[in-house]
Amino acid sequence: MHSIHRRNLAEATSEPTSRHGASLPAGRLLPLLLLAITMFFIAPLPAQGSPVPVRFAEGMVRGFLELSDADGKRIASGDFLQVPRGGELKCRTVLYFKDGSLHDESAVFTQERTFLMKNYHLIQKGKSFQEEMEVSLDRAGGKYRVSVGKQGQEKVLEGKLDLPLDVYNGMVPTVLKNLPEGAREKIHMVAFTPAPRVIELDMVPDGEDRVLVGDLEKSADHYVLKPKLGLLKLPAALLGRTPPDNHIWTITKDVPAFVRFMGPLAFGGPIWRIELASPRWPK
């Protein structure tokens, strides 16, 4: 099921006929075409990449986060946590939604001259997400496991991927903070649709924006993150699931710091905004 010969793809895209030689209705042609294209492109292709050099070594970090919808309404609160452990670091972003949903994403990485992701784990559950999902990805052997659906009704995908050295799931803000000023960079991500696929992510600088920290005005570098689907572009467009650009703002002067993220947290999901939050004393 993970591949299909080009000859079979050509047959699938020609005008299909019934057992008696009559043409199938046009309304049934598109689903067959989409199925053939999806089956053809589902097998992962090897990708090349260079890991990003470490300019600022990471350490123990905790930041408070707020998640807002497109109207600016706060829908979740949470934490960014980063802890060194035995020569590795684990970073975790956890968001608790008001409706009881959960987004819990973590990555373990090393920073010996370059950043290298070792493993990745993602949990998304609750009605804020179109599909409940749990994902695990391990660089050792490229093993992945994707569980989709509610407990007791899960569909499980397991297998192996050829992972480039610059796959950075769960740690894009960390990598971005380490780019030289105004630098453009290409890295790789594993997109879970829910079948996993290694895609390229183009990180493009887009100027500076003003941001206020209390009464102080700061300058934040704006980066646009452009997913490059490659061979998946056509089937994604036909299915109406082409992912939008994401946006990240960081303050880079003196000590780099994350400021804001805008984009979907799940494939095909709504555009949300993650920002740093300050503790407030209850009245």
Coordinates of all heavy atoms in Angstrom, one line a residue, residues 102-107 117 119-125 131-138 142-149 154-159 161 163 167 169-170 189-197 265-267:
L102 N -6.0 19.1 25.0 CA -4.6 19.1 25.4 C -3.7 19.1 24.2 O -3.9 18.3 23.3 CB -4.3 17.9 26.3 CG -2.8 17.7 26.7 CD1 -2.3 18.8 27.7 CD2 -2.6 16.3 27.3
H103 N -2.7 19.9 24.2 CA -1.6 19.9 23.2 C -0.3 19.7 24.0 O 0.1 20.6 24.8 CB -1.5 21.1 22.4 CG -0.3 21.2 21.5 ND1 -0.2 20.7 20.2 CD2 0.9 21.7 21.7 CE1 1.0 20.9 19.7 NE2 1.7 21.6 20.6
D104 N 0.4 18.6 23.9 CA 1.6 18.3 24.6 C 2.7 17.8 23.6 O 2.6 16.7 23.1 CB 1.3 17.2 25.7 CG 2.4 17.1 26.7 OD1 3.5 17.6 26.4 OD2 2.2 16.4 27.7
E105 N 3.7 18.6 23.4 CA 4.7 18.4 22.4 C 6.1 18.5 23.0 O 6.4 19.4 23.7 CB 4.6 19.4 21.3 CG 5.5 19.2 20.1 CD 5.4 20.2 19.0 OE1 5.1 21.4 19.3 OE2 5.5 19.9 17.8
S106 N 6.9 17.5 22.8 CA 8.2 17.5 23.4 C 9.3 16.9 22.4 O 8.9 16.1 21.5 CB 8.3 16.7 24.7 OG 7.9 15.3 24.4
A107 N 10.5 17.4 22.6 CA 11.6 16.9 21.8 C 12.8 16.8 22.7 O 13.1 17.6 23.5 CB 11.9 17.9 20.6
M117 N 18.1 16.6 16.7 CA 16.9 16.1 17.4 C 17.1 14.6 17.5 O 17.3 13.9 16.6 CB 15.6 16.4 16.6 CG 14.3 16.0 17.4 SD 12.9 15.8 16.2 CE 13.3 14.2 15.5
N119 N 14.7 12.5 19.6 CA 13.3 11.9 19.5 C 12.3 13.0 19.7 O 12.5 14.1 20.2 CB 13.1 10.7 20.5 CG 13.4 11.1 21.9 OD1 12.7 11.9 22.5 ND2 14.4 10.5 22.6
Y120 N 11.0 12.6 19.4 CA 9.9 13.6 19.3 C 8.7 12.9 19.8 O 8.4 11.7 19.5 CB 9.8 14.1 17.9 CG 8.6 15.0 17.7 CD1 8.5 16.3 18.2 CD2 7.5 14.6 17.0 CE1 7.4 17.1 18.0 CE2 6.4 15.4 16.8 CZ 6.3 16.7 17.3 OH 5.2 17.5 17.1
H121 N 7.8 13.6 20.5 CA 6.6 13.0 21.0 C 5.5 14.1 21.0 O 5.7 15.3 21.4 CB 6.7 12.5 22.4 CG 5.5 11.7 22.9 ND1 5.0 11.9 24.2 CD2 4.8 10.8 22.3 CE1 4.0 11.0 24.4 NE2 3.8 10.4 23.2
L122 N 4.3 13.7 20.5 CA 3.2 14.7 20.4 C 1.9 14.0 20.8 O 1.6 12.9 20.4 CB 3.0 15.2 19.0 CG 1.8 16.1 18.7 CD1 1.9 17.4 19.4 CD2 1.7 16.3 17.2
I123 N 1.1 14.7 21.7 CA -0.2 14.3 22.1 C -1.2 15.5 21.8 O -0.9 16.6 22.2 CB -0.3 13.9 23.6 CG1 0.6 12.7 23.9 CG2 -1.7 13.6 23.9 CD1 0.7 12.4 25.4
Q124 N -2.2 15.2 21.0 CA -3.3 16.2 20.8 C -4.6 15.4 21.0 O -4.9 14.4 20.3 CB -3.2 16.8 19.4 CG -2.0 17.7 19.2 CD -2.0 18.3 17.8 OE1 -2.5 17.7 16.8 NE2 -1.4 19.4 17.7
K125 N -5.4 15.9 22.0 CA -6.7 15.3 22.2 C -7.7 16.3 22.7 O -7.3 17.4 23.2 CB -6.5 14.2 23.3 CG -6.0 14.6 24.6 CD -5.9 13.4 25.5 CE -5.4 13.8 26.9 NZ -5.3 12.6 27.8
E131 N -8.8 15.7 14.9 CA -8.5 14.3 15.1 C -7.6 14.2 16.4 O -6.7 14.9 16.5 CB -7.8 13.6 14.0 CG -8.6 13.5 12.7 CD -7.8 12.8 11.6 OE1 -6.6 13.2 11.4 OE2 -8.4 11.9 10.9
E132 N -7.9 13.2 17.3 CA -7.0 13.0 18.4 C -5.9 12.2 17.8 O -6.0 11.3 17.0 CB -7.8 12.2 19.5 CG -8.9 13.0 20.1 CD -9.3 12.5 21.5 OE1 -8.8 11.5 21.9 OE2 -10.1 13.2 22.2
M133 N -4.7 12.5 18.3 CA -3.5 11.9 17.8 C -2.4 11.8 18.8 O -2.2 12.7 19.6 CB -3.0 12.8 16.6 CG -1.7 12.2 15.9 SD -1.1 13.3 14.6 CE -2.5 13.3 13.4
E134 N -1.6 10.7 18.8 CA -0.4 10.6 19.5 C 0.7 10.1 18.6 O 0.5 9.1 17.9 CB -0.6 9.6 20.7 CG 0.7 9.5 21.5 CD 0.5 8.8 22.9 OE1 -0.6 8.4 23.2 OE2 1.5 8.7 23.6
V135 N 1.8 10.8 18.6 CA 2.9 10.5 17.7 C 4.2 10.3 18.5 O 4.5 11.0 19.4 CB 3.1 11.7 16.7 CG1 4.4 11.6 15.9 CG2 1.9 11.9 15.8
S136 N 5.0 9.4 18.1 CA 6.3 9.2 18.6 C 7.3 9.0 17.4 O 6.9 8.3 16.4 CB 6.4 8.1 19.6 OG 6.1 6.8 19.0
L137 N 8.5 9.6 17.5 CA 9.5 9.5 16.4 C 10.8 9.4 17.0 O 11.2 10.3 17.9 CB 9.4 10.8 15.5 CG 10.3 10.9 14.4 CD1 10.1 9.8 13.3 CD2 10.2 12.3 13.7
D138 N 11.6 8.4 16.6 CA 12.9 8.2 17.2 C 14.0 8.2 16.1 O 13.8 7.5 15.1 CB 12.9 6.8 18.0 CG 14.1 6.7 18.9 OD1 15.1 7.4 18.7 OD2 14.1 5.8 19.8
G142 N 15.0 5.6 12.8 CA 13.9 6.3 12.1 C 12.6 5.8 12.4 O 11.6 6.0 11.6
K143 N 12.4 5.1 13.6 CA 11.1 4.5 13.9 C 10.0 5.5 14.2 O 10.3 6.5 14.9 CB 11.2 3.5 15.0 CG 12.1 2.3 14.7 CD 12.2 1.4 15.9 CE 13.1 0.2 15.6 NZ 13.2 -0.7 16.8
Y144 N 8.8 5.3 13.7 CA 7.7 6.2 14.1 C 6.5 5.3 14.5 O 6.3 4.2 14.1 CB 7.3 7.2 13.0 CG 6.8 6.5 11.7 CD1 5.4 6.2 11.7 CD2 7.6 6.2 10.6 CE1 4.9 5.6 10.5 CE2 7.0 5.6 9.5 CZ 5.7 5.3 9.5 OH 5.2 4.7 8.4
R145 N 5.6 6.0 15.3 CA 4.3 5.4 15.6 C 3.3 6.5 15.7 O 3.5 7.5 16.4 CB 4.4 4.6 16.9 CG 3.1 3.8 17.2 CD 3.2 3.1 18.6 NE 2.0 2.2 18.8 CZ 0.9 2.6 19.3 NH1 0.6 3.9 19.6 NH2 -0.1 1.7 19.5
V146 N 2.2 6.3 14.9 CA 1.1 7.3 14.9 C -0.2 6.6 15.3 O -0.5 5.6 14.6 CB 1.0 8.0 13.5 CG1 -0.1 9.0 13.5 CG2 2.3 8.5 13.0
S147 N -0.8 7.1 16.3 CA -2.1 6.6 16.7 C -3.1 7.7 16.6 O -3.0 8.8 17.1 CB -2.1 6.2 18.2 OG -3.3 5.7 18.7
V148 N -4.2 7.4 15.7 CA -5.2 8.4 15.4 C -6.5 7.9 15.9 O -6.9 6.7 15.6 CB -5.2 8.7 13.9 CG1 -6.2 9.8 13.6 CG2 -3.8 9.1 13.4
G149 N -7.3 8.7 16.5 CA -8.7 8.4 16.9 C -8.8 8.3 18.5 O -7.8 8.2 19.2
E154 N -8.6 3.5 18.0 CA -7.4 4.1 17.3 C -7.1 3.3 16.1 O -7.3 2.1 16.0 CB -6.2 4.0 18.3 CG -6.4 4.7 19.6 CD -6.8 3.8 20.7 OE1 -7.5 2.8 20.4 OE2 -6.4 4.0 21.9
K155 N -6.5 4.0 15.1 CA -5.9 3.4 14.0 C -4.4 3.7 14.1 O -4.0 4.9 14.3 CB -6.4 4.0 12.7 CG -7.9 3.7 12.4 CD -8.4 4.3 11.1 CE -9.8 3.9 10.8 NZ -10.3 4.5 9.6
V156 N -3.6 2.7 14.0 CA -2.1 2.8 14.3 C -1.3 2.7 13.0 O -1.6 1.7 12.2 CB -1.7 1.8 15.3 CG1 -0.2 1.9 15.5 CG2 -2.4 2.1 16.6
L157 N -0.4 3.6 12.8 CA 0.6 3.5 11.7 C 2.0 3.4 12.3 O 2.3 4.2 13.2 CB 0.5 4.8 10.8 CG -0.8 5.1 10.1 CD1 -0.7 6.5 9.5 CD2 -1.2 4.0 9.1
E158 N 2.7 2.4 11.9 CA 4.1 2.2 12.4 C 5.0 1.9 11.2 O 4.6 1.4 10.2 CB 4.2 1.0 13.3 CG 3.4 1.3 14.6 CD 3.5 0.1 15.6 OE1 3.1 -1.0 15.2 OE2 4.0 0.3 16.7
G159 N 6.3 2.4 11.3 CA 7.2 2.1 10.3 C 8.5 2.9 10.5 O 8.8 3.2 11.7
L161 N 11.4 5.9 8.9 CA 11.7 7.0 7.9 C 13.2 7.3 7.8 O 13.9 7.0 8.8 CB 11.0 8.3 8.5 CG 9.5 8.4 8.4 CD1 9.0 9.7 9.1 CD2 9.0 8.4 7.0
L163 N 15.6 9.9 8.1 CA 15.5 11.3 8.7 C 16.8 12.0 8.4 O 17.9 11.6 8.7 CB 15.4 11.2 10.2 CG 14.0 10.6 10.7 CD1 14.1 10.5 12.2 CD2 12.8 11.4 10.2
V167 N 16.2 17.5 10.8 CA 14.8 17.4 11.1 C 14.6 18.0 12.5 O 15.3 17.5 13.5 CB 14.3 15.9 11.1 CG1 13.0 15.7 11.9 CG2 14.1 15.4 9.7
N169 N 11.5 18.8 14.4 CA 10.1 18.8 15.0 C 10.2 19.2 16.5 O 11.1 18.7 17.3 CB 9.5 17.4 14.9 CG 9.0 17.1 13.6 OD1 9.7 17.1 12.6 ND2 7.7 16.8 13.4
G170 N 9.4 20.1 16.9 CA 9.3 20.4 18.3 C 10.3 21.4 18.8 O 10.4 21.8 20.0
M189 N 11.1 18.9 8.4 CA 10.1 18.6 9.4 C 9.5 17.3 9.0 O 9.4 16.9 7.8 CB 9.1 19.6 9.6 CG 9.6 21.0 9.9 SD 10.1 21.1 11.7 CE 8.5 21.0 12.5
V190 N 8.9 16.5 9.9 CA 8.1 15.4 9.6 C 6.6 15.8 9.8 O 6.2 16.2 10.9 CB 8.4 14.2 10.5 CG1 7.5 13.0 10.1 CG2 9.8 13.7 10.3
A191 N 5.9 15.9 8.7 CA 4.5 16.2 8.8 C 3.7 15.0 9.0 O 3.9 14.0 8.2 CB 4.0 17.0 7.5
F192 N 2.7 15.0 9.9 CA 1.9 13.8 10.2 C 0.5 14.2 9.7 O -0.2 15.0 10.2 CB 1.9 13.5 11.7 CG 3.2 13.1 12.2 CD1 4.1 14.0 12.7 CD2 3.6 11.8 12.1 CE1 5.3 13.6 13.2 CE2 4.9 11.4 12.5 CZ 5.7 12.3 13.1
T193 N 0.0 13.5 8.6 CA -1.2 13.9 7.9 C -2.4 12.9 7.9 O -3.3 13.1 7.1 CB -0.8 14.2 6.5 OG1 -0.3 13.0 5.8 CG2 0.2 15.3 6.4
P194 N -2.5 11.8 8.6 CA -1.6 11.4 9.7 C -0.4 10.6 9.3 O 0.5 10.4 10.1 CB -2.5 10.6 10.6 CG -3.5 10.0 9.7 CD -3.7 11.0 8.6
A195 N -0.4 10.1 8.1 CA 0.8 9.3 7.6 C 2.0 10.3 7.6 O 1.9 11.4 7.2 CB 0.6 8.8 6.2
P196 N 3.2 9.9 8.1 CA 4.3 10.8 8.2 C 5.0 11.0 6.9 O 5.1 10.1 6.0 CB 5.3 10.0 9.2 CG 4.9 8.6 9.0 CD 3.5 8.5 8.7
R197 N 5.5 12.2 6.7 CA 6.2 12.6 5.5 C 7.2 13.6 5.8 O 6.9 14.6 6.4 CB 5.2 13.1 4.4 CG 5.8 13.6 3.2 CD 6.2 12.5 2.2 NE 6.9 13.1 1.1 CZ 7.2 12.4 0.0 NH1 6.7 11.2 -0.1 NH2 7.8 12.9 -1.0
L265 N -1.6 24.3 14.8 CA -0.9 23.3 15.6 C -1.1 21.9 15.1 O -0.4 21.0 15.5 CB -1.4 23.4 17.0 CG -1.1 24.7 17.8 CD1 -1.5 24.5 19.3 CD2 0.4 25.0 17.7
A266 N -2.0 21.8 14.1 CA -2.3 20.4 13.5 C -2.5 20.6 12.0 O -3.0 21.7 11.6 CB -3.5 19.8 14.2
F267 N -2.2 19.6 11.2 CA -2.4 19.6 9.8 C -3.9 19.9 9.5 O -4.8 19.2 9.9 CB -2.0 18.3 9.2 CG -1.9 18.3 7.7 CD1 -0.9 18.9 7.0 CD2 -2.9 17.8 6.9 CE1 -0.8 19.0 5.6 CE2 -2.9 17.8 5.5 CZ -1.8 18.4 4.9

